[in-house]
Amino acid sequence: MQFGWSDDEQAYRREVQAFLAEALPDDWEAISAGGPGSDAQAEFSRGFCARLAERGWLTQSWPAEYGGADASPWRHAIFGEEMWGNGEPRGPQYMNVNWIGPAIMKHGTEAQKAEHLPPISRGEVLWCQGFSEPEAGSDLAALRTAATRDGDHYVVNGSKIWTSYANHARHCFLLVRTDPESSRHKGISVLLCPMDLPGIDVREIPSVVGERYFHEVFFDDVRVPVSCRLGPEHEGWNVVSYALQFERVGAARYHRAALILDDLAERARERGLLGDARVREKLGHARTLCEAARVLTYRVIDQRAHGAPPSADSNVARIAGTTAEQAVADLALEIFGEESLEYGSYADTRFRWAMTAGVAVGATEVQLNLVARNRLELPRE
Amino acid sequence: MNFELSDDQKAILESVGALLVRHAGAERAIALAAKAEYDGALEAALADAGFFGLAVEADTGPLEAALLVEASARAGAVAAVGARALVAPQVVAGGELAGPVALAVAGRDVPVRFAAHARHALVLDGDVARRVELGPGDVAPVRSSFGFPMGRIAAAALAGGESLGAGSGERLRRWWRVATAVETGGTLRAALDVTLRYVRERRQFGRAIGSFQGVQHRLAHADVQVEGVRWLALEAAGLDAPEELSAVAAAHAAAAAKSVFDETHQFSGAMGFTREHDLHVWSMRLQALRLELGGVEAHRRAVAEARWPAS
């Protein structure tokens, strides 16, 4: 056991920060106000990720045989913190690098790897994830979107919902039920589905979180080649479980929350609030929650660095991260008071972003179930 | 960064564990508490084995001392391990201080953990720390419900002793916070473990009460807090007690001590109030630990002061 960053790691963080200072435009605050899925940010990510790719940073965590640099999970974590801390200029592409690419490496055919990994590592392709359905949210295994085999195609019918980035994505990491007789975790398959196939219809769901944040994706007799299936037929649940463990700690949301908090403290100072004992206590509390989320996430990264299999510690980290993010967003409203009520104001954009934290990537209650079962060994009944 | 124990750290914890099996545990803690006694035998055994020097020896440091403190707390040890193994070596020139060691704040006439049995007190007095040798009549034993033998240090003794020089107050405050956070982490984990065993076995309405989701979610939240306390505290010890992180660890520990006390007792029912059930050995201590150094509000303000200085 030993804590703290090595000199190399600290130097690398400074290098990333220097790059960001130069690479992010003056109007980045405006571009990033809509979140990673906004039109502006998705568009920005194309040029930005290409620049990351040129520097060898975009997929540095990948194995060398797939064009990566075998960078340690710690280096990847530093990179992820700096990206999320600055509003995620990779846009939706962080998903490609963090879990879609690794899932294709683990389960993909040679043809799939050759088709999908190079564009991801060049930073030129956007993906979306087709998981949730109207009747399968937290209970993902209840999904019903059907893929019926017809020769060398699957015919897909059904719909996906809450799909971020669907309006920009070239491909969808799509969960379907290939065995109509099956239920729950059996009989599910993963399709790497092109989004330009006939019969796919993407509709925006207006939301209070932001514009173009959520979509519904309808599949009407969409013919997807069988060669698009990732992993064995009916065994898709294993593929997605593997991917989800990476997703849960993939986004360094705690770090973004911590940087927003630093910002808030400065604004509190400008308003003469920093001397107020009550405000200081709340700032200290929120900072404590951010730090707890950080160290618990580092615990998971450390397990990955040691090659340990994914564990419920990733659920612990995610729960702590949600708590921290919500505490910071609440404090933003309190410090800015009624000024927060104006659309697009500092507190407004931060608050709307944070309000999804307890629901995205599996509701907190599902994470708590997994902690209770897998860490605390509490009985099911 | 490495969260796994090294082979050397494992070896230390193994020998600490072997010693704690003989000199700690719930049964022993309950017996000592009945007589308000201190575990002098444990203190002597730890000293003989050289564990109080872990923080300053060449091959080990504060992190190894913190692992000792955590293991002792988890085992329900009735000894001031944190004060002697983790705090004193950072504050007193030359490292070790003959124990038992109590930690106190100048000018505060309050019950102090372990004071009734302590040979020395380290007294936090603004910017400096003072070392006070406690003699007969300096401390009046205090009866307490909160799991530790306690005493009230006479005003004259509390104001006396020898100043440990410039910067010693700040060092004492930082390491006291770290030691309390580490000790709280071990105590929290033990309280949660007792409760988990109970809810797995206790059946009502035809099922284990630990199978109710209303129980599971609250215990899972407790686990998230306890795990956070543990790693923040160990990290703070391993990084030499940075001002902000020490306060962060102490703040998280104090908040968890309150909520985990509430939850573990709630789910242990009336059984949790009895002396025959082990929960109280750890749960009652949590209340004493969370009040140290001004408690959670003071720790949180200290976090803010360290990160965003007002001036």
Side-chain angles (χ1 to χ4, degrees):
Chain A
M1 197 179 290
Q2 168 264 320
F3 299 98
W5 300 109
S6 69
D7 290 346
D8 276 359
E9 287 162 341
Q10 291 181 42
Y12 176 63
R13 188 186 290 276
R14 285 193 297 272
E15 199 185 339
V16 175
Q17 287 169 342
F19 169 77
L20 282 170
E22 176 267 317
L24 295 182
D26 293 340
D27 58 348
W28 173 243
E29 170 74 21
I31 294 174
S32 62
S38 67
D39 289 354
Q41 202 159 336
E43 199 47 51
F44 179 83
S45 80
R46 295 178 198 273
F48 182 82
C49 287
R51 287 191 64 185
L52 292 179
E54 279 166 29
R55 298 181 75 102
W57 282 356
L58 184 63
T59 55
Q60 58 179 336
S61 57
W62 290 10
E65 63 173 311
Y66 299 116
D70 285 308
S72 77
W74 289 113
R75 199 174 158 98
H76 185 56
I78 291 168
F79 188 69
E81 285 189 346
E82 293 305 321
M83 292 296 141
W84 271 88
N86 285 285
E88 192 44 278
R90 290 175 296 177
Q93 294 197 46
Y94 75 93
M95 293 198 313
N96 306 357
V97 177
N98 284 358
W99 62 267
I100 293 174
I104 293 172
M105 286 172 217
K106 185 172 166 77
H107 298 283
T109 63
E110 290 311 311
Q112 287 169 337
K113 291 177 191 173
E115 180 188 355
H116 294 296
L117 298 180
I120 289 179
S121 57
R122 288 195 298 268
E124 60 186 35
V125 61
L126 303 185
W127 283 72
C128 61
Q129 62 175 59
F131 289 2
S132 293
E133 298 180 5
E135 301 303 325
S138 294
D139 184 11
L140 185 55
L143 67 91
R144 293 193 300 211
T145 293
T148 311
R149 190 74 176 254
D150 179 20
D152 52 5
H153 283 77
Y154 289 106
V155 180
V156 179
N157 281 288
S159 67
K160 295 289 173 178
I161 196 167
W162 317 125
T163 320
S164 299
Y165 323 130
N167 52 332
H168 295 290
R170 192 194 297 172
H171 291 279
C172 180
F173 194 97
L174 180 65
L175 287 188
V176 292
R177 192 164 291 287
T178 36
D179 178 0
E181 304 300 314
S182 69
S183 67
R184 308 299 300 159
H185 306 88
K186 299 189 179 100
I188 290 172
S189 300
V190 175
L191 300 179
L192 306 174
C193 176
M195 287 294 283
D196 58 359
L197 293 177
I200 296 180
D201 184 22
V202 177
R203 291 180 215 165
E204 186 191 353
I205 303 171
S207 81
V208 294
V209 178
E211 288 161 26
R212 308 276 176 98
Y213 211 93
F214 301 119
H215 304 85
E216 195 158 11
V217 184
F218 297 91
F219 296 84
D220 182 13
D221 283 334
V222 178
R223 294 183 66 81
V224 183
V226 169
S227 62
C228 291
R229 193 188 66 233
L230 182 66
E233 189 172 53
H234 308 330
E235 303 287 327
W237 190 258
N238 294 333
V239 178
V240 76
S241 298
Y242 175 80
L244 279 175
Q245 294 294 340
F246 284 82
E247 191 198 16
R248 282 191 182 115
V249 293
R253 295 180 71 133
Y254 62 90
H255 190 65
R256 179 168 170 79
L259 293 190
I260 290 171
L261 188 62
D262 284 340
D263 227 10
L264 279 178
E266 280 314 308
R267 286 158 197 259
R269 185 199 303 282
E270 288 164 12
R271 279 147 202 265
L273 295 172
L274 204 51
D276 181 330
R278 212 176 122 266
V279 171
R280 297 169 73 71
E281 191 191 327
K282 288 183 174 193
L283 284 165
H285 182 212
R287 174 69 188 165
T288 299
L289 295 174
C290 290
E291 284 286 272
R294 175 190 58 76
V295 81
L296 290 170
T297 304
Y298 285 5
R299 168 74 179 132
V300 177
I301 294 165
D302 185 67
Q303 289 170 345
R304 201 168 289 165
H306 284 94
S311 75
D313 288 10
S314 66
N315 306 109
V316 170
R318 177 71 194 176
I319 294 163
T322 297
T323 306
E325 205 173 348
Q326 289 169 342
V328 171
D330 284 338
L331 193 51
L333 292 195
E334 291 183 33
I335 284 176
F336 281 91
E338 292 98 325
E339 285 175 47
S340 318
L341 302 179
E342 181 166 359
Y343 182 83
S345 65
Y346 183 92
D348 167 64
T349 53
R350 271 70 187 172
F351 183 85
R352 282 188 284 115
W353 236 46
M355 68 191 282
T356 64
V359 173
V361 205
T364 299
E365 289 68 25
V366 176
Q367 318 269 1
L368 290 166
N369 285 346
L370 292 169
V371 172
R373 193 171 310 143
N374 298 325
R375 272 183 57 84
L376 307 185
E377 295 170 14
L378 292 174
R380 292 184 190 220
E381 198 90 5
Chain B
M1 205 94 67
N2 187 350
F3 283 57
E4 299 297 325
L5 294 169
S6 69
D7 289 343
D8 287 348
Q9 288 165 337
K10 278 184 199 157
I12 291 168
L13 279 180
E14 260 172 45
S15 48
V16 167
L19 200 151
L20 288 171
V21 164
R22 293 199 305 277
H23 291 287
E27 198 180 329
R28 188 176 170 97
I30 291 168
L32 288 164
K35 293 175 281 180
E37 273 183 17
Y38 187 87
D39 202 336
L42 171 61
E43 176 111 8
L46 288 170
D48 287 347
F51 287 131
F52 290 123
L54 279 175
V56 288
E57 271 160 25
D59 300 338
T60 56
L63 180 54
E64 285 70 26
L67 291 168
L68 163 70
V69 174
E70 183 191 37
S72 304
R74 214 170 157 171
V78 189
V81 182
R84 188 168 172 191
L86 196 51
V87 180
Q90 310 297 334
V91 181
V92 181
E96 279 198 61
L97 188 62
V101 177
L103 304 176
V105 179
R108 285 182 55 77
D109 179 23
V110 293
V112 171
R113 294 201 290 141
F114 305 118
H117 304 84
R119 283 178 63 185
H120 286 98
L122 287 172
V123 179
L124 179 61
D125 190 358
D127 295 338
V128 297
R130 281 184 285 105
R131 175 175 53 190
V132 178
E133 196 169 340
L134 296 169
D138 282 343
V139 184
V142 175
R143 187 173 168 192
S144 170
S145 310
F146 295 100
F148 298 105
M150 298 198 193
R152 221 178 260 275
I153 304 176
L158 207 53
E162 153 206 16
S163 166
L164 297 170
S168 58
E170 184 256 331
R171 281 202 306 282
L172 173 56
R173 192 179 287 109
R174 287 191 285 117
W175 282 102
W176 187 346
R177 283 201 173 107
V178 173
T180 300
V182 172
E183 185 175 352
T184 306
T187 309
L188 284 164
R189 181 53 69 191
L192 191 54
D193 282 346
V194 174
T195 306
L196 289 169
R197 280 198 295 277
Y198 182 75
V199 302
R200 284 185 208 116
E201 284 163 17
R202 171 70 175 165
R203 297 180 71 83
Q204 289 287 273
F205 308 103
R207 55 195 276 198
I209 61 174
S211 70
F212 288 103
Q213 201 176 43
V215 174
Q216 290 188 349
H217 282 190
R218 284 163 63 177
L219 287 172
H221 268 302
D223 181 49
V224 172
Q225 280 193 297
V226 173
E227 200 65 0
V229 171
R230 168 168 208 238
W231 290 113
L232 285 172
L234 291 176
E235 187 184 44
L239 295 177
D240 239 12
E243 194 182 348
E244 183 196 325
L245 187 58
S246 304
V248 160
H252 206 48
K258 180 193 158 15
S259 61
V260 172
F261 176 92
D262 293 346
E263 301 296 61
T264 53
H265 272 285
Q266 186 60 33
F267 299 134
S268 301
M271 202 61 205
F273 304 138
T274 68
R275 293 206 191 275
E276 71 175 274
H277 188 64
D278 290 346
L279 176 62
H280 73 282
V281 169
W282 291 279
S283 65
M284 298 306 281
R285 292 181 186 195
L286 291 173
Q287 302 291 1
L289 289 164
R290 81 180 176 95
L291 297 178
E292 294 211 342
L293 283 171
V296 67
E297 292 175 13
H299 297 315
R300 286 173 182 167
R301 286 196 298 271
V303 172
E305 175 60 35
R307 184 151 191 92
W308 308 289
S311 49

